[in-house]
Amino acid sequence: MIELDGRSLDILAILTSFSGGVTIQELSRQLAVSARTVRYDLEKIDAFLQANALPPLHRDHMGVSLAEDKVGNRQLWDLVSTVLAKSYIPNQNERVHRIQLELLYTDDYLTMEEMSQMLGVSRSTIVNDMKIVKSDFEQAGIMLESKPRYGFQLSAPERRLRAKLVAIMLEILPANEFISYMRDKQKPCHRSITKIRCLKVFKSLDLAEIFRVTQRLEEKLGVLWSDQSFTRIAYTIAACFLRKKN
């Protein structure tokens, strides 16, 4: 079975947000990768579409676009949902975020084996990811401690842990994507499609309810926050709920 990684899914999501074609140069800019990498991803997407009897990507002087086939595109996103649920392969940035969220979500130890099983990658891959995780936490004043046979655990004042949790949520789902996603969940695709999966680490949290609570707070105070401020407040409330036991 041909599988798609997070960047390939993001490319598909970008294509749905344009009425015409998107150039390889524009995709390269948005994804912060080389044009060569984008071409490789497009070939992978074409192979995925062909393997699932779906229309291939359309290419012309305007750039790359999805085929003008509403039924086919709906089938595509139904299939993508299945991929995300069953066989999605996270890229390194997504793995790092997922590990950080799991560590911030609990005060228990997290082992290499648990991370490997959770993300579906090898132990050696986790070892490399943990170097990035440790460096990023240290920049925020959070220590990543390890204990033989127990695993990894965070050590920092609660205020720093909650602040880092909010910062990671904003990285995964920026204000404009959070607002758009929460206001119209029925759209077949957003660029945040892979990011929403990462946020599902918040097993006990209803982001929709947090969104509504923040709206009611805005109304009660008689203010109109910017999308950035609204989202930061919503994420801060979420972080408090997630770490309320601490």
Side-chain angles (χ1 to χ4, degrees):
M1 177 180 178
I2 298 174
E3 298 174 327
L4 297 179
D5 59 14
R7 192 173 59 240
S8 297
L9 290 169
D10 279 344
I11 288 176
L12 285 172
I14 291 171
L15 295 180
T16 66
S17 65
F18 284 77
S19 57
V22 185
T23 66
I24 289 179
Q25 289 71 25
E26 177 61 18
L27 289 170
S28 174
R29 184 189 67 79
Q30 289 203 37
L31 298 168
V33 296
S34 68
R36 180 178 180 180
T37 297
V38 170
R39 291 189 182 93
Y40 171 76
D41 289 337
L42 291 174
E43 291 176 0
K44 186 161 43 176
I45 291 171
D46 268 332
F48 175 83
L49 294 173
Q50 181 179 9
N52 289 281
L54 292 167
L57 296 175
H58 177 71
R59 294 170 173 82
D60 58 22
H61 67 284
M62 297 294 291
V64 184
S65 62
L66 293 177
E68 295 185 3
D69 183 339
K70 291 184 179 180
V71 174
N73 288 339
R74 170 54 64 182
Q75 291 174 342
L76 168 61
W77 292 114
D78 287 344
L79 182 60
V80 165
S81 297
T82 301
V83 170
L84 287 173
K86 295 183 178 179
S87 58
Y88 173 66
I89 302 175
N91 60 37
Q92 186 178 59
N93 189 51
E94 292 167 330
R95 293 196 305 271
V96 167
H97 277 147
R98 179 65 186 273
I99 292 169
Q100 288 179 310
L101 290 174
E102 288 287 351
L103 287 165
L104 286 163
Y105 184 76
T106 179
D107 284 334
D108 293 333
Y109 284 94
L110 187 63
T111 67
M112 286 279 191
E113 288 71 22
E114 287 172 330
M115 287 183 269
S116 177
Q117 184 176 10
M118 173 180 69
L119 295 167
V121 296
S122 67
R123 182 185 175 90
S124 61
T125 297
I126 297 297
V127 170
N128 289 328
D129 291 342
M130 290 303 291
K131 295 176 183 177
I132 300 175
V133 169
K134 181 179 180 181
S135 175
D136 187 62
F137 274 137
E138 287 179 346
Q139 291 179 33
I142 300 172
M143 298 303 297
L144 178 64
E145 300 177 345
S146 61
K147 186 176 180 180
R149 295 190 299 277
Y150 282 84
F152 296 88
Q153 187 181 50
L154 298 180
S155 176
E158 180 61 28
R159 174 177 54 82
R160 290 185 184 176
L161 295 173
R162 293 187 183 187
K164 184 58 178 175
L165 184 52
V166 171
I168 292 174
M169 291 174 74
L170 283 168
E171 286 181 33
I172 296 173
L173 202 61
N176 62 322
E177 294 185 16
F178 173 70
I179 298 295
S180 174
Y181 179 78
M182 297 312 299
R183 285 180 176 165
D184 191 357
K185 285 189 174 184
Q186 301 309 311
K187 287 186 178 180
C189 178
H190 296 78
R191 276 210 64 193
S192 58
I193 189 168
T194 60
K195 301 177 184 183
I196 292 297
R197 179 177 174 84
C198 195
L199 283 172
K200 285 184 178 178
V201 67
F202 300 145
K203 309 174 186 67
S204 63
L205 187 66
D206 184 349
L207 279 180
E209 180 59 27
I210 296 294
F211 183 83
R212 289 189 290 270
V213 167
T214 309
Q215 282 183 316
R216 290 196 292 269
L217 181 60
E218 186 180 48
E219 293 170 1
K220 196 172 186 68
L221 293 175
V223 297
L224 184 61
W225 291 314
S226 67
D227 286 355
Q228 184 70 23
S229 296
F230 183 97
T231 303
R232 183 173 289 278
I233 291 169
Y235 286 172
T236 300
I237 294 172
C240 290
F241 274 109
L242 286 166
R243 295 194 54 82
K244 62 184 177 182
K245 61 183 178 299
N246 303 307

